Amino acid sequence: MAVNAPPAETKPLSANDPQTIAEQIKTKFPDALESASAQGIVIKRDHLLEVARHLRESLTFDYLNNVTSVDFPDRFEVVYHVSSIDRGGAPLTLKVNAARENPVVPSLVPVYRGADFQEREVYDMMGIRFDGHPYLRRILMWDGFEGYPLRKDYHEPYFEDEKKPFGTRWDQGHHVIAEDRNPWHDNVQYPANFDAVAFKAQIDTVREQTLPDVSPTRLKTEKMILNIGPQHPSTHGVLRLKTTLDGETIVGVEPVLGYLHRNHEKIGERNTYLGNIPFTDRLDYFTSMNNNHAYVIGVEKLMGLRVPERAEYIRVIMAELTRVISHMALMGFMYNDLGAFYTPLIYALEERELVLDMFEAASGSRMMCNYMRFGGVARDLPDGFLDKAKHLVEERFPRVLDELETYLTGNEIFLARTKGVGVISREDAINYSTAGPVLRGSGAKYDVRRAEPYSIYDRFDFDIPVGTAGDVRDRFLMRLWEARQSLRILKQALKDIPAGEIMTGKKNYQIRVPKGEVYGRGENPKGELGFYIVSDGTPNPYRYHIRAPSFINLTALDRMSKGYKVADLIIILGSHDVVMGEVDR
Amino acid sequence: MAFKIPGVLVGMGITLNRVIKTFQGDFKHFGRRYDQKALDERQSVYGSGIFTVQYPEEKLKPPENFRFIPFLVYDPKLDESGKPVIDAATGKEAIGYERCTSCGICAKVCPPQCIWIVRATTPEGKPKPECTEFYIDIDVCMNCGYCAEYCPFDAIKMDHDYELANYERHVSHIYDINTLMKSSTYHAQIHPLDVAREKADKEAKEAAKAKKA
Ligand code: SF4
Ligand code: SF4
């Protein structure tokens, strides 16, 4: 890693080295490879499925981190990142080329179930078909939508120019109201000959349910579809859950997404690199510091920038404070979902408020922090910040966590509602590409901070807690345990933070990013947040993709809630800790 | 364990504890509960008890770094005694020197592109380092603070005034140059530490220059 070279002992990651793996694939499938380089292994389309199977079964690449695609002038490229849960290390990049006309690629869902939503997203945004996908439908856009928004030739409403900065702002910038600029005169562009009356969305179709009868009953019954959301207090935002029920029992859940979709990735490709930092705040708006961190790590890797010591410490302090408050708030939210309205939540939010005030003092804003820059942080910590943080970390938060533990974890109603509910096995949690506390709650010890240490996490002494049962209770406890570990990190960071520079070089708004591509990632409170960035050397990213943990975790919701009662669905969803700003992007 | 306190009692105990704590501040700051001092105390990381603020009667002072909607800074005209002259027509301090040179950096760096600048020209048609028009669409502005951060002339700064609700967006939320211009006296009021830092930087630079020469 260019930001801060990891120490020697974590270095032997050669097991994930693309060249070595390419050799191994070559011996097994002599004509499957197109090429192999440090940038990844390009596999021939027809062999993708068998290579993926081989990687998963024989070479222990059991975890599919990320699926995305890039629109090049002559072809489409589908990019996969796979890694091994036990081995960790930088993910291996696989690529497949698809033709510009009628692009088709075999689906990886038979091998990695976690590819399900991600391939649908690629199909939706880029129009690449996945052969063999069980349910290839639009996921973020609506059914009747025409066009593929992330293709380079697509123009959105309010389109002005391909790249920012727009030439009309300076030096003859006469203000124009944005609405007057909309070439569609409305926010929706309908397909040619669109008949709104005759149009029938596929609302009646339900995804094929594979599970056999869950309630063996001799009465003749019918399944029922229940829509939970999009406006429902317990869906944590505008999320619709199309739930198929057999009586009270859940037979299948299909999350219907996209109500908050704003095509963050397209905006990101129009933006400059620097301009994207405040936009990442708006992904998971509970954890803007972590979002900033993961993004700047990605771009810094491309640029080969080093970050001064003090800035690294500040970043870690901010990221871990965010983790503590995000987890605390979630514990409150989960109680809300169980019907213990607001008292636990308000207690947690009070603590969150203290940290947000500190963020405001440091960065200028409570939630939309926009605090990190390439090569450092925006400004130094204000006076008194470290003392306050020390008090929180050493006295107040341990006390609060103990308090939360005593009155939340042992509660009889809580146990009755969460123990053995929403169970997902370790194998499934990995196969469905879940991340963060959901993955670890099922016993998979995978945390990016340890698997591929970024920033200065390799210096701190902390454990990665894991659950055993993989149920809602374990996922709840994961939050408590992880918050405690974060306090451990914070204690060390606050003790060791050096004085000095907070930024490499001078502040510059013109960022030069060399050609290349990078998958930068960090451990968000919700899981692995990744940024896949392709740079063509211009001031704007050519491709800017986000691996959103909340979004991918939802893939497993169906698997988790089958067989439980509809009332349990609320808490199962609650245990995911979804933030719709990130799910829909 | 022979006897276990029922969970419901534990929970109620915690609630009772909180209820009692909410009165602590009342007694401690008897009659002055809403003073700035009492407010600071109960809002701080050391505080406990009641936490809420009765907005808009009570308001918290935003920290210096707080950023909300940029404004343009001008240096006021000074009279002989060095005091700013008040413009009778507007009631504001008269404009002495507009700092903005119309370099366009803020408009280029602005992520949602909500800054519009018209550069001034000399009668011969040559560009002049001044702006004739300057607009910010504050509904588009995402308060990122980049404009203030990257302006090389300290001409644009982030404001503290966050009460901007209005009935429509097409007129009152398009800030033009007259709305945006605020005196450096105001800037020094809301950003005292920043101004001190700027001044120190300037002096250091000048000292270095003098040394060289
Ligand atoms: S960056 Fe500063 S000086 Fe340049 S145009 Fe903007 S406000 Fe004016
Ligand atoms: S604060 Fe950010 S969004 Fe607002 S005008 Fe300045 S640069 Fe633009």
Side-chain angles (χ1 to χ4, degrees):
Chain A
M1 197 149 101
V3 181
N4 222 311
E9 55 267 29
T10 52
K11 203 77 206 235
L13 302 171
S14 53
N16 287 5
D17 177 44
Q19 314 279 7
T20 332
I21 303 287
E23 288 305 313
Q24 283 167 347
I25 295 175
K26 219 180 205 162
T27 45
K28 180 98 182 167
F29 309 103
D31 48 356
L33 289 196
E34 237 170 78
S35 66
S37 67
Q39 300 287 358
I41 308 174
V42 186
I43 297 169
K44 287 198 184 124
R45 210 175 324 148
D46 310 336
H47 295 272
L48 176 68
L49 205 57
E50 57 189 38
V51 170
R53 202 164 267 138
H54 176 67
L55 281 175
R56 186 171 113 77
E57 277 153 23
S58 310
L59 302 176
T60 67
F61 282 98
D62 49 0
Y63 188 71
L64 178 71
N65 297 72
N66 180 38
V67 180
T68 184
S69 57
V70 190
D71 176 8
F72 286 114
D74 55 335
R75 72 204 142 98
F76 288 107
E77 188 179 82
V78 183
V79 184
Y80 304 88
H81 291 96
V82 290
S83 49
S84 161
I85 289 284
D86 295 327
R87 199 167 53 229
L92 175 73
T93 314
L94 300 181
K95 291 177 180 174
V96 181
N97 289 323
R100 272 226 72 100
E101 291 301 314
N102 192 19
V104 186
V105 165
S107 168
L108 283 193
V109 176
V111 186
Y112 300 105
R113 298 299 305 262
D116 188 337
F117 279 20
Q118 303 192 61
E119 286 183 352
R120 278 176 68 187
E121 189 195 335
V122 172
Y123 164 68
D124 191 359
M125 294 288 132
M126 285 253 187
I128 299 169
R129 296 194 64 82
F130 288 88
D131 214 7
H133 190 289
Y135 193 66
L136 194 64
R137 271 183 44 188
R138 287 196 179 271
I139 187 164
L140 295 174
M141 306 305 293
W142 61 294
D143 283 337
F145 187 82
E146 200 189 29
Y148 301 103
L150 274 182
R151 287 193 180 178
K152 288 286 171 196
D153 54 9
Y154 176 86
H155 288 169
E156 65 278 23
Y158 307 112
F159 170 80
E160 274 193 61
D161 205 345
E162 293 290 340
K163 303 274 164 175
K164 286 177 188 174
F166 301 142
T168 52
R169 297 297 192 268
W170 179 84
D171 48 3
Q172 289 302 316
H174 298 280
H175 178 262
V176 180
I177 288 166
E179 279 87 335
D180 298 341
R181 234 182 238 285
N182 185 351
W184 299 354
H185 307 294
D186 195 343
N187 279 353
V188 186
Q189 188 180 41
Y190 292 99
N193 307 323
F194 181 77
D195 184 352
V197 182
F199 174 74
K200 212 161 167 345
Q202 291 166 289
I203 46 165
D204 300 330
T205 60
V206 187
R207 196 166 176 161
E208 187 95 26
Q209 307 302 343
T210 46
L211 209 77
D213 258 346
V214 268
S215 68
T217 161
R218 253 171 272 129
L219 289 176
K220 188 176 159 14
T221 54
E222 259 186 10
K223 288 183 186 141
M224 181 178 82
I225 296 173
L226 179 70
N227 270 305
I228 303 177
Q231 295 292 343
H232 193 282
S234 63
T235 53
H236 296 248
V238 274
L239 166 70
R240 180 169 140 219
L241 297 173
K242 204 152 74 183
T243 318
T244 317
L245 297 176
D246 182 0
E248 282 254 340
T249 311
I250 300 166
V251 194
V253 182
E254 187 200 333
V256 181
L257 311 173
Y259 294 95
L260 222 57
H261 178 64
R262 53 215 185 267
N263 216 345
H264 182 102
E265 295 180 10
K266 188 87 175 178
I267 300 173
E269 285 164 24
R270 300 242 187 272
N271 263 345
T272 57
Y273 285 95
L274 186 71
N276 274 337
I277 302 176
F279 279 87
T280 61
D281 291 340
R282 277 107 177 135
L283 284 170
D284 176 349
Y285 38 77
F286 261 66
T287 62
S288 63
M289 287 288 188
N290 300 61
N291 302 348
N292 281 184
H293 200 182
Y295 176 63
V296 295
I297 281 174
V299 179
E300 278 164 1
K301 258 195 211 177
L302 263 179
M303 296 166 72
L305 262 186
R306 274 193 76 88
V307 182
E309 281 287 288
R310 184 172 172 85
E312 289 280 25
Y313 273 91
I314 295 178
R315 286 179 178 186
V316 166
I317 289 169
M318 294 300 186
E320 293 306 318
L321 279 175
T322 312
R323 195 182 316 274
V324 176
I325 55 172
S326 166
H327 282 352
M328 271 189 195
L330 181 80
M331 290 194 270
F333 274 120
M334 276 176 79
Y335 259 76
N336 239 17
D337 290 342
L338 287 173
F341 285 126
Y342 294 112
T343 308
L345 176 62
I346 293 292
Y347 287 2
L349 286 183
E350 184 180 324
E351 307 307 316
R352 174 167 176 264
E353 206 61 20
L354 298 173
V355 176
L356 292 189
D357 281 348
M358 285 164 59
F359 284 175
E360 189 181 30
S363 74
S365 191
R366 291 151 46 84
M367 289 171 79
M368 304 298 135
C369 297
N370 184 24
Y371 187 54
M372 298 183 193
R373 300 285 180 273
F374 308 124
V377 293
R379 42 174 88 78
D380 208 341
L381 297 175
D383 294 339
F385 184 96
L386 289 175
D387 294 331
K388 279 187 203 160
K390 268 189 194 132
H391 176 77
L392 283 182
V393 166
E394 269 154 30
E395 280 163 47
R396 189 162 176 140
F397 282 171
R399 197 175 66 225
V400 173
L401 284 175
D402 288 346
E403 191 181 288
L404 287 174
E405 180 169 14
T406 40
Y407 76 99
L408 294 185
T409 55
N411 184 298
E412 290 90 346
I413 304 171
F414 172 76
L415 293 178
R417 289 287 311 274
T418 58
K419 230 173 161 172
V421 171
V423 177
I424 185 160
S425 67
R426 183 178 188 272
E427 285 66 44
D428 276 342
I430 295 170
N431 200 238
Y432 276 88
S433 293
T434 58
V438 179
L439 177 67
R440 293 190 287 272
S442 294
K445 202 167 183 166
Y446 189 80
D447 186 315
V448 182
R449 290 174 295 172
R450 279 280 186 254
E452 192 197 354
Y454 57 95
S455 193
I456 47 168
Y457 277 108
D458 45 2
R459 297 187 197 169
F460 299 117
D461 183 25
F462 66 100
D463 299 323
I464 299 171
V466 285
T468 44
D471 58 1
V472 172
R473 176 171 171 265
D474 270 16
R475 290 197 280 278
F476 179 89
L477 290 175
M478 283 302 303
R479 267 63 189 221
L480 183 72
W481 297 332
E482 285 192 5
R484 290 230 166 94
Q485 294 302 326
S486 293
L487 291 186
R488 263 178 84 183
I489 299 177
L490 279 167
K491 257 182 219 160
Q492 299 166 45
L494 288 169
K495 194 165 100 278
D496 297 345
I497 181 168
E501 291 279 293
I502 51 150
M503 187 90 180
T504 307
K506 261 181 94 176
K507 247 185 196 175
N508 188 2
Y509 72 99
Q510 283 160 318
I511 311 285
R512 278 184 218 296
V513 181
K515 263 188 197 171
E517 57 176 75
V518 76
Y519 179 63
R521 56 180 186 160
E523 185 72 25
N524 216 33
K526 272 83 181 180
E528 173 184 337
L529 175 72
F531 287 87
Y532 179 69
I533 300 161
V534 179
S535 161
D536 58 354
T538 59
N540 312 67
Y542 186 77
R543 181 78 178 95
Y544 167 77
H545 170 75
I546 295 148
R547 183 223 191 265
S550 297
F551 170 68
I552 298 171
N553 282 357
L554 276 181
T555 320
L557 183 66
D558 175 62
R559 181 77 200 78
M560 265 182 210
S561 34
K562 265 181 192 156
Y564 297 100
K565 299 282 184 257
V566 65
D568 296 329
L569 180 61
I570 305 300
I571 187 65
I572 295 174
L573 177 71
S575 72
H576 272 248
D577 196 6
V578 289
V579 170
M580 296 317 287
E582 182 179 79
V583 173
D584 291 339
R585 280 159 294 148
Chain B
M1 212 182 358
F3 176 70
K4 193 166 171 274
I5 306 171
V8 66
L9 288 186
V10 175
M12 281 162 83
I14 287 171
T15 314
L16 184 68
N17 187 5
R18 288 270 171 159
V19 171
I20 292 169
K21 271 190 191 160
T22 54
F23 293 106
Q24 251 176 11
D26 285 8
F27 285 117
K28 195 168 162 198
H29 303 282
F30 192 74
R32 289 169 289 114
R33 193 183 137 187
Y34 298 126
D35 282 4
Q36 192 60 41
K37 193 162 153 267
L39 211 60
D40 285 347
E41 190 175 309
R42 71 175 201 254
Q43 284 277 328
S44 83
V45 293
Y46 311 101
S48 66
I50 202 159
F51 194 75
T52 42
V53 177
Q54 316 247 350
Y55 181 83
E57 280 78 27
E58 293 178 82
K59 277 186 201 170
L60 295 175
K61 196 170 175 297
E64 173 167 347
N65 277 340
F66 176 66
R67 53 180 150 82
F68 200 77
I69 310 292
F71 65 93
L72 292 170
V73 188
Y74 66 84
D75 293 316
K77 199 187 267 174
L78 302 178
D79 58 16
E80 299 83 48
S81 61
K83 280 218 190 77
V85 181
I86 305 293
D87 188 338
T90 56
K92 293 203 285 188
E93 289 174 7
I95 296 178
Y97 169 67
E98 292 178 16
R99 291 189 187 175
C100 177
T101 62
S102 198
C103 68
I105 288 177
C106 55
K108 282 177 205 151
V109 83
C110 173
Q113 295 283 291
C114 65
I115 301 182
W116 279 261
I117 304 170
V118 177
R119 185 165 59 184
T121 44
T122 55
E124 300 89 62
K126 282 213 191 97
K128 208 162 98 186
E130 268 168 38
C131 55
T132 51
E133 286 175 54
F134 200 112
Y135 299 100
I136 294 180
D137 189 331
I138 63 159
D139 282 333
V140 180
C141 173
M142 66 201 295
N143 305 318
C144 67
Y146 276 172
C147 45
E149 206 174 310
Y150 292 100
C151 172
F153 301 97
D154 288 319
I156 190 164
K157 294 287 168 193
M158 298 304 283
D159 209 341
H160 278 187
D161 179 15
Y162 48 84
E163 290 170 322
L164 305 172
N166 239 312
Y167 287 102
E168 46 70 54
R169 84 166 222 86
H170 291 318
V171 182
S172 41
H173 279 187
I174 317 295
Y175 281 14
D176 63 7
I177 192 161
N178 293 329
T179 326
L180 286 169
M181 280 286 179
K182 290 189 181 171
S183 148
S184 58
T185 324
Y186 173 72
H187 170 49
Q189 259 166 27
I190 61 172
H191 293 132
L193 294 177
D194 275 355
V195 170
R197 208 172 303 133
E198 274 164 28
K199 214 171 144 199
D201 280 356
K202 219 180 188 174
E203 273 162 15
K205 234 181 233 165
E206 260 154 31
K209 224 190 221 163
K211 222 173 166 190
K212 240 188 204 165

